[in-house]
Every structure is written in structure tokens, then in C-alpha cells.
Amino acid sequence: MWQYVLRSKRFALVVLGAPLIGAISIGTSVSAQSWADIGNYSSLLRRAGTQTLVAKDCPSGLFGAFHAGRNALLLCSNNLRDDPAQVWTVLAHESAHVMQHCQQGPLLPDHQIGNALAQIEKQSLSAFQELRLYHQSQRRDEIEARLVQGLPMAEVEALFRGFCGDRLNRHAPKSIPAVGLGDG
């Protein structure tokens, strides 16, 4: 199934080579504190209608991907270390693509892209340099995703709620009316 998805034009990939491995742990403020934190954020994504999938057979170097047409986020367990910090970075990156999908466009106004690039360069020179590997048509989306992956978990969740909050409301379970609490 994912071979078909990988050929799609609307598929945003995180292909992380060896130089970026060091940038995976940008800092302790970015890392998930536990696997439970990652599970809770993944649940939030699912409540907004985004499938979260884990594959054990991704191509070498592929850590994660988002397919907008299927609204599916993929984490590649065969290429990720058993490390919540690394998994969180990839999850945050891919969730930025989910936010772009919710927004139906960029997350940042044009005049803030230069500041975003400066912030990415400060966080991780290798992440900054890797942006050159992307086609110009993908670069802005990748700038935003790399910026998001460097934010603390609480900020990423707040951004997700801001950009995709309407989906949370649509996909939220229907409330059950309380019995015996009438006007009367």
C-alpha cells in the first residue's frame, strides 16, 4: 500500500540522512517526556480524523510521511530508534504537514519565512542545510515542518488545536445528555 502512496505528488516525506540524525535531538524542551505523551498526541491527531500508522518496512532513511489525500500520517519504526525524543521529532514534523492540510495552505505569513529559516539554522545547522535537498515547490512546507519539529511539545499541541481545532469538534464523540438534569 505505501509504495503507491510514496509515488503520490501530494506526499510530504521526511527523508533524514545520517547528517540529520544528530539534529533529531534538538533539545530536551522539544522531546516528549514519555511514550504516553506521544500516544496522547497521536490520539489527538486521530480525534481530528487523521490516521496514524506505524510501518516496519519503510525504505531506508524514511522516518515518516504524511499523505494529504488519505489524511494519513506514517511513522517508520524500522528506521527510528526506540527513543521517544526521536519519535516525537518525526511526529511533530509530520503533524505540521497535517496542520498545513487543515489550513489548506501555509502556516506562516510570507513575511515570517526569513525569521523561520533563521530559527531553524539556530536550532540545527544540518536541518537547515537539508532544506536545499527539497524541490522549491516543497521548500516552504518543509521550512514550516522543521520549525514545528523544534518547538516544545505543548506548543506543537497548541498549534495543532489552533489549525485543526474545527476537525476536533467535527470528529468529537457526541455527548450523551445527562439524565435527570432538566429545568424542572
Side-chain angles (χ1 to χ4, degrees):
M1 173 179 90
W2 283 104
Q3 289 176 345
Y4 164 77
V5 173
L6 289 171
R7 285 187 230 122
S8 171
K9 290 188 287 187
R10 305 252 321 142
F11 197 63
L13 299 177
V14 179
V15 180
L16 303 174
L20 191 55
I21 297 296
I24 294 295
S25 301
I26 294 172
T28 56
S29 65
V30 228
S31 304
Q33 297 299 311
S34 67
W35 290 110
D37 288 343
I38 290 169
N40 290 338
Y41 187 68
S42 295
S43 293
L44 180 68
L45 292 168
R46 285 190 299 276
R47 284 196 318 265
T50 299
Q51 278 186 292
T52 57
L53 308 168
V54 177
K56 297 178 183 178
D57 59 351
C58 294
S60 178
L62 179 64
F63 288 169
F66 174 66
H67 186 275
R70 294 179 185 215
N71 195 16
L73 185 149
L74 172 72
L75 294 175
C76 298
S77 66
N78 60 308
N79 295 323
L80 292 169
R81 296 185 310 263
D82 189 22
D83 173 16
Q86 184 187 38
V87 172
W88 167 251
T89 299
V90 175
L91 182 60
H93 179 106
E94 295 308 331
S95 75
H97 293 306
V98 176
M99 293 178 224
Q100 292 162 339
H101 180 63
C102 290
Q103 181 73 4
Q104 297 180 351
L107 305 179
L108 292 172
D110 292 341
H111 71 276
Q112 290 184 352
I113 293 298
N115 292 339
L117 279 168
Q119 181 65 31
I120 294 165
E121 186 176 23
K122 190 176 5 172
Q123 289 172 343
S124 168
L125 183 58
S126 58
F128 175 78
Q129 292 171 336
E130 267 203 354
L131 290 169
R132 290 181 288 173
L133 299 175
Y134 289 90
H135 186 270
Q136 187 175 0
S137 65
Q138 297 175 303
R139 206 164 288 145
R140 183 190 181 112
D141 287 349
E142 289 304 315
I143 289 168
E144 292 176 345
R146 278 178 170 60
L147 185 64
V148 169
Q149 82 183 33
L151 295 174
M153 187 173 192
E155 289 182 36
V156 174
E157 185 175 335
L159 283 172
F160 183 80
R161 288 180 184 281
F163 286 112
C164 300
D166 63 325
R167 291 177 183 225
L168 287 169
N169 295 335
R170 273 187 292 185
H171 293 284
K174 304 283 186 232
S175 61
I176 300 170
V179 177
L181 296 178
D183 289 4

PDB file of all heavy atoms in Angstrom, residues 2 5 9 21 24 26-27 34 56 61 88-89 107-108 110 115 118-119 133 135 150 157 180:
ATOM      1  N   TRP A   2       1.919   1.307   0.836  1.00  0.00           N
ATOM      2  CA  TRP A   2       2.704   2.526   0.944  1.00  0.00           C
ATOM      3  C   TRP A   2       3.557   2.775  -0.281  1.00  0.00           C
ATOM      4  O   TRP A   2       3.951   3.903  -0.519  1.00  0.00           O
ATOM      5  CB  TRP A   2       3.539   2.499   2.219  1.00  0.00           C
ATOM      6  CG  TRP A   2       2.661   2.807   3.379  1.00  0.00           C
ATOM      7  CD1 TRP A   2       2.177   1.924   4.298  1.00  0.00           C
ATOM      8  CD2 TRP A   2       2.077   4.061   3.713  1.00  0.00           C
ATOM      9  NE1 TRP A   2       1.351   2.563   5.177  1.00  0.00           N
ATOM     10  CE2 TRP A   2       1.273   3.880   4.846  1.00  0.00           C
ATOM     11  CE3 TRP A   2       2.152   5.329   3.161  1.00  0.00           C
ATOM     12  CZ2 TRP A   2       0.566   4.895   5.432  1.00  0.00           C
ATOM     13  CZ3 TRP A   2       1.446   6.356   3.756  1.00  0.00           C
ATOM     14  CH2 TRP A   2       0.668   6.130   4.874  1.00  0.00           C
ATOM     15  N   VAL A   5       1.463   5.067  -2.175  1.00  0.00           N
ATOM     16  CA  VAL A   5       1.424   6.360  -1.506  1.00  0.00           C
ATOM     17  C   VAL A   5       2.722   7.118  -1.740  1.00  0.00           C
ATOM     18  O   VAL A   5       2.720   8.325  -1.947  1.00  0.00           O
ATOM     19  CB  VAL A   5       1.165   6.168   0.004  1.00  0.00           C
ATOM     20  CG1 VAL A   5       1.283   7.469   0.757  1.00  0.00           C
ATOM     21  CG2 VAL A   5      -0.212   5.564   0.227  1.00  0.00           C
ATOM     22  N   LYS A   9       2.103  12.699  -5.694  1.00  0.00           N
ATOM     23  CA  LYS A   9       2.677  14.039  -5.697  1.00  0.00           C
ATOM     24  C   LYS A   9       2.387  14.784  -4.405  1.00  0.00           C
ATOM     25  O   LYS A   9       3.123  15.669  -4.014  1.00  0.00           O
ATOM     26  CB  LYS A   9       2.108  14.857  -6.854  1.00  0.00           C
ATOM     27  CG  LYS A   9       2.581  14.415  -8.203  1.00  0.00           C
ATOM     28  CD  LYS A   9       2.137  15.394  -9.250  1.00  0.00           C
ATOM     29  CE  LYS A   9       0.649  15.251  -9.478  1.00  0.00           C
ATOM     30  NZ  LYS A   9       0.144  16.032 -10.587  1.00  0.00           N
ATOM     31  N   ILE A  21      20.690  12.942  11.755  1.00  0.00           N
ATOM     32  CA  ILE A  21      20.480  12.113  12.941  1.00  0.00           C
ATOM     33  C   ILE A  21      20.855  12.895  14.194  1.00  0.00           C
ATOM     34  O   ILE A  21      20.142  12.879  15.177  1.00  0.00           O
ATOM     35  CB  ILE A  21      21.285  10.799  12.859  1.00  0.00           C
ATOM     36  CG1 ILE A  21      20.813   9.952  11.697  1.00  0.00           C
ATOM     37  CG2 ILE A  21      21.203  10.031  14.161  1.00  0.00           C
ATOM     38  CD1 ILE A  21      19.405   9.461  11.774  1.00  0.00           C
ATOM     39  N   ILE A  24      18.149  15.241  15.375  1.00  0.00           N
ATOM     40  CA  ILE A  24      16.905  14.675  15.860  1.00  0.00           C
ATOM     41  C   ILE A  24      16.650  15.108  17.295  1.00  0.00           C
ATOM     42  O   ILE A  24      15.555  15.432  17.661  1.00  0.00           O
ATOM     43  CB  ILE A  24      16.935  13.133  15.759  1.00  0.00           C
ATOM     44  CG1 ILE A  24      16.979  12.708  14.307  1.00  0.00           C
ATOM     45  CG2 ILE A  24      15.751  12.512  16.443  1.00  0.00           C
ATOM     46  CD1 ILE A  24      15.789  13.047  13.491  1.00  0.00           C
ATOM     47  N   ILE A  26      16.973  17.896  19.233  1.00  0.00           N
ATOM     48  CA  ILE A  26      17.252  19.326  19.183  1.00  0.00           C
ATOM     49  C   ILE A  26      17.448  19.884  20.581  1.00  0.00           C
ATOM     50  O   ILE A  26      18.186  20.805  20.794  1.00  0.00           O
ATOM     51  CB  ILE A  26      16.137  20.060  18.425  1.00  0.00           C
ATOM     52  CG1 ILE A  26      16.149  19.614  16.976  1.00  0.00           C
ATOM     53  CG2 ILE A  26      16.305  21.560  18.515  1.00  0.00           C
ATOM     54  CD1 ILE A  26      15.012  20.095  16.165  1.00  0.00           C
ATOM     55  N   GLY A  27      16.785  19.334  21.545  1.00  0.00           N
ATOM     56  CA  GLY A  27      16.927  19.800  22.914  1.00  0.00           C
ATOM     57  C   GLY A  27      15.888  19.139  23.789  1.00  0.00           C
ATOM     58  O   GLY A  27      14.895  18.629  23.298  1.00  0.00           O
ATOM     59  N   SER A  34       7.543  11.090  27.533  1.00  0.00           N
ATOM     60  CA  SER A  34       7.315   9.651  27.661  1.00  0.00           C
ATOM     61  C   SER A  34       6.594   9.147  26.417  1.00  0.00           C
ATOM     62  O   SER A  34       6.100   9.922  25.599  1.00  0.00           O
ATOM     63  CB  SER A  34       6.459   9.372  28.895  1.00  0.00           C
ATOM     64  OG  SER A  34       5.151   9.903  28.701  1.00  0.00           O
ATOM     65  N   LYS A  56       6.768  -1.098   9.490  1.00  0.00           N
ATOM     66  CA  LYS A  56       8.048  -1.731   9.806  1.00  0.00           C
ATOM     67  C   LYS A  56       8.862  -1.996   8.544  1.00  0.00           C
ATOM     68  O   LYS A  56       9.924  -2.601   8.627  1.00  0.00           O
ATOM     69  CB  LYS A  56       7.810  -3.065  10.528  1.00  0.00           C
ATOM     70  CG  LYS A  56       7.133  -2.911  11.858  1.00  0.00           C
ATOM     71  CD  LYS A  56       6.879  -4.264  12.497  1.00  0.00           C
ATOM     72  CE  LYS A  56       6.134  -4.114  13.805  1.00  0.00           C
ATOM     73  NZ  LYS A  56       5.831  -5.393  14.416  1.00  0.00           N
ATOM     74  N   GLY A  61      16.122   5.235   5.451  1.00  0.00           N
ATOM     75  CA  GLY A  61      16.231   6.684   5.524  1.00  0.00           C
ATOM     76  C   GLY A  61      14.916   7.417   5.650  1.00  0.00           C
ATOM     77  O   GLY A  61      14.894   8.612   5.910  1.00  0.00           O
ATOM     78  N   TRP A  88       9.209  11.613  18.706  1.00  0.00           N
ATOM     79  CA  TRP A  88       8.463  12.861  18.851  1.00  0.00           C
ATOM     80  C   TRP A  88       8.834  13.871  17.762  1.00  0.00           C
ATOM     81  O   TRP A  88       7.971  14.532  17.189  1.00  0.00           O
ATOM     82  CB  TRP A  88       8.672  13.504  20.227  1.00  0.00           C
ATOM     83  CG  TRP A  88       8.154  14.900  20.214  1.00  0.00           C
ATOM     84  CD1 TRP A  88       8.864  16.050  20.249  1.00  0.00           C
ATOM     85  CD2 TRP A  88       6.781  15.296  20.068  1.00  0.00           C
ATOM     86  NE1 TRP A  88       8.034  17.137  20.149  1.00  0.00           N
ATOM     87  CE2 TRP A  88       6.753  16.697  20.035  1.00  0.00           C
ATOM     88  CE3 TRP A  88       5.589  14.595  19.959  1.00  0.00           C
ATOM     89  CZ2 TRP A  88       5.565  17.418  19.904  1.00  0.00           C
ATOM     90  CZ3 TRP A  88       4.407  15.314  19.823  1.00  0.00           C
ATOM     91  CH2 TRP A  88       4.398  16.703  19.800  1.00  0.00           C
ATOM     92  N   THR A  89      10.133  13.988  17.454  1.00  0.00           N
ATOM     93  CA  THR A  89      10.564  14.939  16.434  1.00  0.00           C
ATOM     94  C   THR A  89       9.917  14.628  15.093  1.00  0.00           C
ATOM     95  O   THR A  89       9.422  15.520  14.403  1.00  0.00           O
ATOM     96  CB  THR A  89      12.103  14.942  16.323  1.00  0.00           C
ATOM     97  OG1 THR A  89      12.642  15.337  17.582  1.00  0.00           O
ATOM     98  CG2 THR A  89      12.585  15.899  15.255  1.00  0.00           C
ATOM     99  N   LEU A 107       1.332  27.742   7.048  1.00  0.00           N
ATOM    100  CA  LEU A 107       1.040  28.085   8.434  1.00  0.00           C
ATOM    101  C   LEU A 107       1.511  29.499   8.766  1.00  0.00           C
ATOM    102  O   LEU A 107       0.948  30.150   9.638  1.00  0.00           O
ATOM    103  CB  LEU A 107       1.723  27.093   9.382  1.00  0.00           C
ATOM    104  CG  LEU A 107       1.417  25.614   9.160  1.00  0.00           C
ATOM    105  CD1 LEU A 107       2.194  24.764  10.153  1.00  0.00           C
ATOM    106  CD2 LEU A 107      -0.077  25.344   9.241  1.00  0.00           C
ATOM    107  N   LEU A 108       2.560  29.934   8.090  1.00  0.00           N
ATOM    108  CA  LEU A 108       3.153  31.245   8.368  1.00  0.00           C
ATOM    109  C   LEU A 108       2.866  32.231   7.241  1.00  0.00           C
ATOM    110  O   LEU A 108       2.859  31.845   6.074  1.00  0.00           O
ATOM    111  CB  LEU A 108       4.677  31.118   8.483  1.00  0.00           C
ATOM    112  CG  LEU A 108       5.248  30.351   9.656  1.00  0.00           C
ATOM    113  CD1 LEU A 108       6.754  30.168   9.480  1.00  0.00           C
ATOM    114  CD2 LEU A 108       4.950  31.075  10.953  1.00  0.00           C
ATOM    115  N   ASP A 110       3.961  35.092   4.604  1.00  0.00           N
ATOM    116  CA  ASP A 110       5.182  35.194   3.805  1.00  0.00           C
ATOM    117  C   ASP A 110       6.296  35.965   4.508  1.00  0.00           C
ATOM    118  O   ASP A 110       7.451  35.567   4.456  1.00  0.00           O
ATOM    119  CB  ASP A 110       4.888  35.868   2.458  1.00  0.00           C
ATOM    120  CG  ASP A 110       4.017  35.013   1.553  1.00  0.00           C
ATOM    121  OD1 ASP A 110       3.929  33.790   1.781  1.00  0.00           O
ATOM    122  OD2 ASP A 110       3.427  35.588   0.608  1.00  0.00           O
ATOM    123  N   ASN A 115      12.471  34.738   9.178  1.00  0.00           N
ATOM    124  CA  ASN A 115      12.673  34.502  10.612  1.00  0.00           C
ATOM    125  C   ASN A 115      12.640  33.014  10.926  1.00  0.00           C
ATOM    126  O   ASN A 115      13.385  32.539  11.780  1.00  0.00           O
ATOM    127  CB  ASN A 115      11.609  35.224  11.434  1.00  0.00           C
ATOM    128  CG  ASN A 115      11.753  36.729  11.369  1.00  0.00           C
ATOM    129  OD1 ASN A 115      12.813  37.256  11.055  1.00  0.00           O
ATOM    130  ND2 ASN A 115      10.667  37.433  11.661  1.00  0.00           N
ATOM    131  N   ALA A 118      15.945  31.478   9.988  1.00  0.00           N
ATOM    132  CA  ALA A 118      16.970  31.834  10.971  1.00  0.00           C
ATOM    133  C   ALA A 118      16.826  30.980  12.237  1.00  0.00           C
ATOM    134  O   ALA A 118      17.818  30.529  12.808  1.00  0.00           O
ATOM    135  CB  ALA A 118      16.883  33.319  11.311  1.00  0.00           C
ATOM    136  N   GLN A 119      15.598  30.732  12.659  1.00  0.00           N
ATOM    137  CA  GLN A 119      15.354  29.911  13.847  1.00  0.00           C
ATOM    138  C   GLN A 119      15.784  28.465  13.607  1.00  0.00           C
ATOM    139  O   GLN A 119      16.403  27.847  14.464  1.00  0.00           O
ATOM    140  CB  GLN A 119      13.879  29.965  14.229  1.00  0.00           C
ATOM    141  CG  GLN A 119      13.521  29.176  15.464  1.00  0.00           C
ATOM    142  CD  GLN A 119      14.175  29.721  16.722  1.00  0.00           C
ATOM    143  OE1 GLN A 119      14.423  30.916  16.836  1.00  0.00           O
ATOM    144  NE2 GLN A 119      14.460  28.854  17.662  1.00  0.00           N
ATOM    145  N   LEU A 133      17.753  20.173  -0.196  1.00  0.00           N
ATOM    146  CA  LEU A 133      17.503  18.914  -0.906  1.00  0.00           C
ATOM    147  C   LEU A 133      16.101  18.843  -1.494  1.00  0.00           C
ATOM    148  O   LEU A 133      15.823  18.005  -2.336  1.00  0.00           O
ATOM    149  CB  LEU A 133      17.711  17.734   0.051  1.00  0.00           C
ATOM    150  CG  LEU A 133      19.107  17.597   0.652  1.00  0.00           C
ATOM    151  CD1 LEU A 133      19.129  16.460   1.662  1.00  0.00           C
ATOM    152  CD2 LEU A 133      20.146  17.384  -0.439  1.00  0.00           C
ATOM    153  N   HIS A 135      12.727  20.154  -3.544  1.00  0.00           N
ATOM    154  CA  HIS A 135      12.350  20.981  -4.687  1.00  0.00           C
ATOM    155  C   HIS A 135      11.753  22.281  -4.161  1.00  0.00           C
ATOM    156  O   HIS A 135      11.142  22.319  -3.101  1.00  0.00           O
ATOM    157  CB  HIS A 135      11.326  20.229  -5.553  1.00  0.00           C
ATOM    158  CG  HIS A 135      11.002  20.942  -6.817  1.00  0.00           C
ATOM    159  ND1 HIS A 135       9.969  21.852  -6.892  1.00  0.00           N
ATOM    160  CD2 HIS A 135      11.576  20.896  -8.037  1.00  0.00           C
ATOM    161  CE1 HIS A 135       9.916  22.340  -8.116  1.00  0.00           C
ATOM    162  NE2 HIS A 135      10.877  21.769  -8.839  1.00  0.00           N
ATOM    163  N   GLY A 150      10.972  21.652  16.026  1.00  0.00           N
ATOM    164  CA  GLY A 150      11.874  22.197  17.021  1.00  0.00           C
ATOM    165  C   GLY A 150      11.182  22.867  18.190  1.00  0.00           C
ATOM    166  O   GLY A 150      11.835  23.380  19.086  1.00  0.00           O
ATOM    167  N   GLU A 157       1.195  21.016  20.284  1.00  0.00           N
ATOM    168  CA  GLU A 157      -0.197  20.656  20.528  1.00  0.00           C
ATOM    169  C   GLU A 157      -1.106  21.877  20.424  1.00  0.00           C
ATOM    170  O   GLU A 157      -2.187  21.800  19.836  1.00  0.00           O
ATOM    171  CB  GLU A 157      -0.356  20.002  21.898  1.00  0.00           C
ATOM    172  CG  GLU A 157      -1.775  19.515  22.137  1.00  0.00           C
ATOM    173  CD  GLU A 157      -1.947  18.758  23.433  1.00  0.00           C
ATOM    174  OE1 GLU A 157      -0.970  18.178  23.948  1.00  0.00           O
ATOM    175  OE2 GLU A 157      -3.087  18.739  23.924  1.00  0.00           O
ATOM    176  N   GLY A 180     -31.995  13.332  34.173  1.00  0.00           N
ATOM    177  CA  GLY A 180     -32.431  13.857  35.459  1.00  0.00           C
ATOM    178  C   GLY A 180     -31.951  15.266  35.748  1.00  0.00           C
ATOM    179  O   GLY A 180     -32.071  15.726  36.878  1.00  0.00           O
TER     180      GLY A 180
END
